[in-house]
Amino acid sequence: MEEILSYLLSVQTLVLVLAVFLLKSSIKFVPQNQAYVVERFGKYQSTKEAGLNFILPFIDRISADRTLKEQAVDVPEQSAITKDNISLRVDGVLYFRVLDPYKATYGVENYVFAVTQLAQTTMRSELGKMELDKTFEERDVLNTNIVASINDAAGPWGIQVLRYEIKDIVPPQSVMEAMEAQMKAERVKRAQILESEGDRQAAINRAEGQKASVVLAAEADKEEQVLRAEGEAKAIVAVASAQAEALRQVGEAANTEAGQKAIQLDLATKAIEAKHAIAKESSVVLLPDGATEASAVVAQAMTIIQKMSKGS
């Protein structure tokens, strides 16, 4: 009896172990951004995505584990010939990801190798369409064309190329020396142009400065002449006004009795002084016709003044 119980216990243990083993074999936890390709009896059965999944032990097997993350692969350096027959050494980096695990497994033997080779051939083809100078100036266009060409060919493989970046473009040493000489000549040319532009601008500035100086001097001289003329005109007007006022006052004074006497005295005094001056300057002295010549002169002057007063 004990042997039977022991046997039954052993069988139960074996069944339990087998059940645990089968359960463990049937449960598959797929990590995030990964996919398992499952085959049943050697034929594709399903694609298990991230999370908890079940398969049939001993019947189903995982034939491929595909990552869905973006991958970066170095494209080895290779030789390419440009449109103007210049040999270049070019390498790059290819960024892609798996869109369809089924196609990536059954559509191509090794999708990484295939897409890398495709990138190399496409890059050689695209470089052959461009001249040397364009390969440096239009890298973005070159990268875009390579990506578009690879995606057209890699569609049946379930691969999507996101971008392609050229790392280095190395021309032959002779071409590099020629390019360096050309760049040096361009720098010298730009320096000479900038220097000539500077001289030209300086000459223009000097000419404009001289022109402005002449204009300002002419305007200043003009203003000075205008101010001088205005001053002279005002002076003339002031002198004329003063003379007119003096004559008016003299006329008003001469119209009185005291003014008449003052004029007679002044005229007599001036007549005597004139005779005295003539006597000093000349050796010949003219004697007056009569003793009353001074009084006659005064009388004549008074007569003229009276007539002028009556006429006014």
Side-chain angles (χ1 to χ4, degrees), residues 221-292:
D221 184 61
K222 175 183 176 183
E223 292 180 359
E224 181 182 359
Q225 292 178 1
V226 170
L227 292 176
R228 187 184 297 113
E230 290 178 353
E232 291 176 355
K234 290 181 180 180
I236 293 173
V237 171
V239 171
S241 298
Q243 291 177 351
E245 180 64 20
L247 291 174
R248 185 185 64 78
Q249 293 181 4
V250 169
E252 291 179 354
N255 201 23
T256 62
E257 183 179 355
Q260 294 292 326
K261 292 180 179 181
I263 290 174
Q264 292 176 6
L265 178 60
D266 182 64
L267 291 175
T269 302
K270 289 181 177 180
I272 295 171
E273 290 177 352
K275 295 292 185 180
H276 183 69
I278 292 172
K280 286 184 177 182
E281 297 293 333
S282 178
S283 58
V284 179
V285 178
L286 297 177
L287 295 174
D289 294 337
T292 61

Side-chain angles (χ1 to χ4, degrees), residues 190-208:
R190 287 197 296 267
Q192 292 176 348
I193 292 174
L194 290 175
E195 184 178 358
S196 63
E197 287 291 336
D199 293 340
R200 175 175 173 272
Q201 190 62 40
I204 292 174
N205 291 339
R206 285 194 297 268
E208 290 180 351

Side-chain angles (χ1 to χ4, degrees), residues 30-49:
V30 182
Q32 184 66 34
N33 283 336
Q34 282 190 250
Y36 290 168
V37 178
V38 179
E39 293 180 350
R40 179 171 295 174
F41 299 116
K43 182 181 179 181
Y44 172 77
Q45 194 274 330
S46 63
T47 300
K48 304 299 183 182
E49 298 181 351

